[in-house]
Amino acid sequence: PKIMKYLLMALAFLISVFIARMIIPRILLISYRKKLFDSQEERKVHKGAIPRLGGVSFFPTILFSCCGVLAFYNLFGYYVSTLHDDRILSEMLLLVCGLVLLYLTGIADDLIGVRYGNKMAVQLVSACLFPLSGLWINDLYGLFGLGMIPQFWGGLLTVLVVILITNAINLIDGIDGLASGLSSVSLVVLGALFLEREMWSCSLIAFSSFGVLVPFFYYNVFGKAERARKIFMGDTGSLTLGYILSFLAIKYSQNLDGIPKEHGPLVIAFSTLLVPVFDAIRVAIVRMYKGRNPFEPDKTHIHHLFLKMGFTVRQALLMILLLSCILSGLNIWLIPYVENTVMLLLDMLVWIGLNIWWMKRIKMV
């Protein structure tokens, strides 16, 4: 029954909240005892010694919550079905495999540092697991005049999209609560969309992931460093979130029945990630235009722009989260009436216009 499945989503969310709430203070304790702090760099906003191992709690908590709830459901003789899809088991098993790779890489990077080339290699291997499981972008729903696309090109596009989203979440993690806040917006929207489609397993992942971010957001945004209560997610957390979000967005946008659709879910799925993805693309283009390495860190991300405009860290966070909610909401509301390509071009124009306005504001400050 549907009501039972809704209760399971709520249970998964609450389990994730509870476990993360129990684990994060322990991570803080270990970090302070072993002096495992984030490095101080000129481009970073924070001051003082703050641990960056909050993301260590993400993957184990999400895995425990999802597996526990599914096992509980099956013990009562039920099966969590997914709409028109018999590949969900292989997709989720390979999702876990990719998360293990990224989790271990993230921990190594947060503790001792990992070269960017090595991190990219792990991301590439993890991204390739999606097409191998049968999960790939197989329909562009009329975007730029394209519909169903061959598996090779769809698989290649999928790999590029996974790497882009994973890095976008990693790069947007620049001020307190931003990466977790933007990820939360996307997870809640995608979780609700999966509920509407009765794709319960994917909704379970979304709400379990959202649950782990609630206590982390509290410690990250409201925790006091001087009282040893503040923590960052680090690369372990951002890589985990980026990979899960890319899985959910691609899964939602996949055409499972092969029937052409005039207004597909592609734009809807990725509209929840417009802010981090557009920001990552903008920053990379600006860096290459100036003849610099596109992967070289600097202070040109959207949160840096808001700080330069005179906003406080908390105000910048609220403004960027509000922008993400508005863009996602408008896309979901308008997509039945606006062609996919037009919708994407409108998003790009709005983003370019906002960036021009922000740059003018910065010059006036």
Side-chain angles (χ1 to χ4, degrees):
K2 280 189 177 182
I3 186 65
M4 181 66 175
K5 291 174 180 175
Y6 287 130
L7 289 174
L8 283 177
M9 303 303 127
L11 178 63
F13 168 77
L14 292 174
I15 289 174
S16 288
V17 172
F18 176 76
I19 295 176
R21 176 65 183 81
M22 296 297 291
I23 292 177
I24 291 175
R26 274 70 181 176
I27 295 174
L28 277 165
L29 181 63
I30 294 170
S31 297
Y32 275 95
R33 283 185 176 176
K34 300 296 182 180
K35 293 181 169 53
L36 304 174
F37 302 123
D38 191 25
S39 59
Q40 282 288 323
E41 299 175 18
E42 185 273 332
R43 66 185 179 86
K44 294 191 175 181
V45 176
H46 75 273
K47 292 178 175 61
I50 301 173
R52 56 177 296 183
L53 294 174
V56 171
S57 65
F58 291 6
F59 174 52
T61 300
I62 295 165
L63 187 63
F64 181 92
S65 180
C66 289
C67 292
V69 168
L70 286 173
F72 173 79
Y73 196 61
N74 283 327
L75 284 173
F76 280 84
Y78 296 103
Y79 173 69
V80 181
S81 61
T82 55
L83 190 64
H84 307 311
D85 194 1
D86 56 0
R87 297 189 304 268
I88 192 68
L89 180 60
S90 60
E91 290 172 0
M92 290 195 169
L93 289 175
L94 287 178
L95 168 67
V96 171
C97 290
L99 283 171
V100 169
L101 291 176
L102 292 171
Y103 182 75
L104 295 175
T105 304
I107 291 176
D109 189 44
D110 290 334
L111 290 176
I112 59 175
V114 176
R115 291 182 179 177
Y116 196 82
N118 293 335
K119 279 200 292 186
M120 283 298 296
V122 174
Q123 288 182 36
L124 180 61
V125 172
S126 300
C128 289
L129 295 178
F130 286 176
L132 286 175
S133 71
L135 178 65
W136 47 283
I137 300 172
N138 61 350
D139 194 345
L140 295 183
Y141 302 97
L143 190 66
F144 302 113
L146 298 172
M148 299 292 288
I149 51 179
Q151 185 168 359
F152 173 79
W153 296 111
L156 183 62
L157 177 61
T158 298
V159 170
L160 294 174
V161 166
V162 173
I163 292 175
L164 173 61
I165 293 174
T166 304
N167 279 281
I169 299 298
N170 182 255
L171 293 171
I172 205 74
D173 185 25
I175 60 174
D176 295 342
L178 187 55
S180 55
L182 289 172
S183 297
S184 295
V185 171
S186 184
L187 287 167
V188 170
V189 173
L190 288 169
L193 292 172
F194 281 122
L195 280 180
E196 185 185 22
R197 279 194 179 185
E198 298 185 10
M199 296 175 71
W200 308 108
S201 300
C202 295
S203 185
L204 186 68
I205 295 174
F207 287 113
S208 297
S209 303
F210 173 53
V212 81
L213 292 179
V214 173
F216 169 80
F217 187 87
Y218 172 80
Y219 280 97
N220 182 226
V221 176
F222 301 105
K224 303 294 184 183
E226 58 271 17
R227 296 176 61 185
R229 304 293 286 176
K230 192 176 188 67
I231 197 167
F232 297 148
M233 70 169 64
D235 276 22
T236 311
S238 59
L239 292 175
T240 299
L241 289 176
Y243 195 64
I244 290 174
L245 286 168
S246 61
F247 173 86
L248 294 174
I250 293 167
K251 185 65 182 174
Y252 186 80
S253 64
Q254 192 177 32
N255 190 340
L256 298 175
D257 52 24
I259 300 173
K261 298 179 178 65
E262 183 180 354
H263 295 290
L266 187 71
V267 174
I268 292 176
F270 290 99
S271 68
T272 64
L273 298 162
L274 282 179
V275 170
V277 169
F278 276 3
D279 187 60
I281 293 172
R282 175 190 63 82
V283 169
I285 290 173
V286 170
R287 289 172 184 169
M288 288 187 290
Y289 177 75
K290 293 181 177 179
R292 292 163 48 202
N293 184 343
F295 303 111
E296 178 187 337
D298 58 17
K299 299 182 75 170
T300 59
H301 285 283
I302 183 172
H303 45 278
H304 294 125
L305 299 184
F306 273 80
L307 294 177
K308 289 176 183 177
M309 283 188 282
F311 291 98
T312 65
V313 170
R314 197 70 56 83
Q315 289 170 341
L317 170 64
L318 291 173
M319 294 293 289
I320 297 170
L321 291 181
L322 181 62
L323 174 62
S324 179
C325 292
I326 291 172
L327 287 175
S328 181
L330 285 175
N331 274 262
I332 294 171
W333 178 50
L334 292 174
I335 198 63
Y337 314 105
V338 181
E339 201 272 329
N340 283 349
T341 307
V342 175
M343 193 75 248
L344 178 60
L345 291 175
L346 285 173
D347 287 333
M348 294 170 65
L349 285 173
V350 169
W351 183 255
I352 292 169
L354 286 172
N355 276 271
I356 292 172
W357 179 44
W358 295 333
M359 296 308 295
K360 287 184 177 179
R361 288 255 337 236
I362 291 171
K363 291 178 181 177
M364 293 170 60
V365 174

